[in-house]
Amino acid sequence: MLRVGVIGATGYTGEELIKILLRHPRIKISYLSAKVEKPKEISEIFPYLKKKLLLLCDNFNIDRALELCDLFFLAVPHTVSIQITPILLENKKYVIDLSADYRLKDKSLYELWYETKHTDHQNLRRSVYGLSEIHRDKIKKTRLVANPGCYPTVAVLSIAPLLKYKICKIQYIYIDAKSGYSGAGRISDEQFYRDLKDNFKAYNVDSHRHLPEILEQILSLAERKINIVFTPHLLPIERGILETIYVNSNHKLKIRNSELIGLYREFYKDSPFVRIKEDNHFPQIKDVVLTNFCDIGIKISEDRKTIILISCIDNLLKGASGQAVQNMNIIFDFEETEALL
Ligand SMILES: NC(=O)c1ccc[n+]([C@@H]2O[C@H](COP(=O)([O-])OP(=O)(O)OC[C@H]3O[C@@H](n4cnc5c(N)ncnc54)[C@H](OP(=O)(O)O)[C@@H]3O)[C@@H](O)[C@H]2O)c1
């Protein structure tokens, strides 16, 4: 049995990790920690865990963590992971970090967008970006996975096949993204009613921290710079992301829609969590919520100069904890779908 710890166990993604890991036959949850005033049974925090998981949740203690676990999921805010990861790796542990601390290979971008110094260059160089379908071979060999952000997961999975098959010379990509409010971590009911109930709004317009992450990933796949505009919106629902992505070509596309769908299916033929919709069918959030799937619909515009991609995930699963467990399954050669279907 692989002994696993969840750091940040009381947060949105920490809670999802616990739920998934409890279903996993090859692992044992051995350690839980969060920022707490005093140690508490996890079932006091989440009463539905009573008689399912008997474990204390306490402030992080490195000695106990090292003694009890082989692998850690870090479901904590950025800058917290960077303080813990070096010592876990020095002690030959595995780390799957859900925060942004090890995602951007260009540390100056991290420092610019996250407004803090990056203090662990050595491990930043070693980290593998954990977009499972794209980097499976590298994930298999690493001890440090930088689990992707939720918006970049949808965007990069949607765009990658176009780059691989060089479908067109891309001029611009516009990403119009909508997310449930759990994407920002736990918020109070008061905040929800003030900002979101019966509302829909854009935020961080062309200035969201996931923009450099999307750009860096697309650049590494395209091997050239592509202009991307990214506007996120908040929906008055708890979970789920839908992105409508417009990929502008500088010439008229000759390929038929059904052929393009065929190429997407070929690209993802060994990827159990990506589902490509049929011609003229498009995904909706309710089809992916509480699943680890990414659903993608594809349409070439009437003037044949734009590819419209409409894609959905559950931000807390394929966009965070589900993909994190998928990455653990890949590293340890478990079935990739274990505990996730
Ligand atoms: N939510 C998403 O859809 C999503 C998707 C992809 C990636 N992520 C990333 O995943 C990480 C966790 O996100 P989340 O949505 O689960 O956030 P969250 O709901 O705010 O939970 C954060 C967790 O970290 C703990 N924590 C906060 N500060 C800490 C500290 N200084 N030391 C130790 N523990 C600390 C919190 O404990 P307390 O509750 O006691 O404060 C809580 O357990 C973030 O880096 C986020 O960017 C989130």
Side-chain angles (χ1 to χ4, degrees), residues 164-165 260-270 276:
K164 155 99 192 268
Y165 297 120
L260 189 54
I261 289 173
L263 288 178
Y264 268 70
R265 293 214 163 120
E266 172 64 24
F267 187 89
Y268 285 117
K269 68 178 187 309
D270 298 320
I276 307 302

Side-chain angles (χ1 to χ4, degrees), residues 89 105 121-128 142-144:
L89 293 175
K105 284 291 175 192
H121 305 170
Q122 194 189 348
N123 290 315
L124 180 60
R125 276 197 294 275
R126 286 193 209 159
S127 69
V128 171
T142 191
R143 280 182 179 269
L144 173 57

Side-chain angles (χ1 to χ4, degrees), residues 6 8-21 23 46 48 73-76 96 98 103 147-154 178-187 210 237-242 285 288-294 312-327 339-340:
V6 178
T10 56
Y12 262 126
T13 57
E15 182 183 3
E16 290 302 319
L17 280 164
I18 294 173
K19 286 190 210 161
I20 303 169
L21 293 168
R23 298 197 294 266
F46 301 126
Y48 65 87
F73 291 99
L74 306 186
V76 288
I96 300 184
L98 278 73
R103 290 184 200 151
N147 220 60
C150 45
Y151 289 123
T153 293
V154 193
K178 296 104 185 161
S179 173
Y181 55 83
S182 61
R186 282 204 196 283
I187 59 168
H210 285 175
I237 59 175
E238 186 184 28
R239 52 204 292 168
I241 288 180
L242 185 147
I285 284 178
V288 295
V289 162
L290 301 177
T291 81
N292 196 48
F293 288 109
C294 173
C312 288
I313 59 166
D314 183 324
N315 56 295
L316 294 177
L317 292 173
K318 184 58 181 163
S321 311
Q323 180 148 252
V325 172
Q326 191 181 348
N327 287 330
L340 293 168

Side-chain angles (χ1 to χ4, degrees), residues 323-340:
Q323 180 148 252
V325 172
Q326 191 181 348
N327 287 330
M328 175 190 76
N329 288 342
I330 291 172
I331 297 173
F332 288 92
D333 228 3
F334 302 149
E335 276 295 321
E336 194 168 319
T337 53
E338 194 72 73
L340 293 168

Side-chain angles (χ1 to χ4, degrees), residues 32-54:
L32 297 174
S33 100
K35 235 170 41 180
V36 287
E37 276 172 22
K38 59 180 175 61
K40 262 190 185 168
E41 279 297 333
I42 193 68
S43 59
E44 267 184 67
I45 301 165
F46 301 126
Y48 65 87
L49 289 176
K50 209 163 181 75
K51 296 197 173 174
K52 285 180 120 181
L53 182 63
L54 188 65

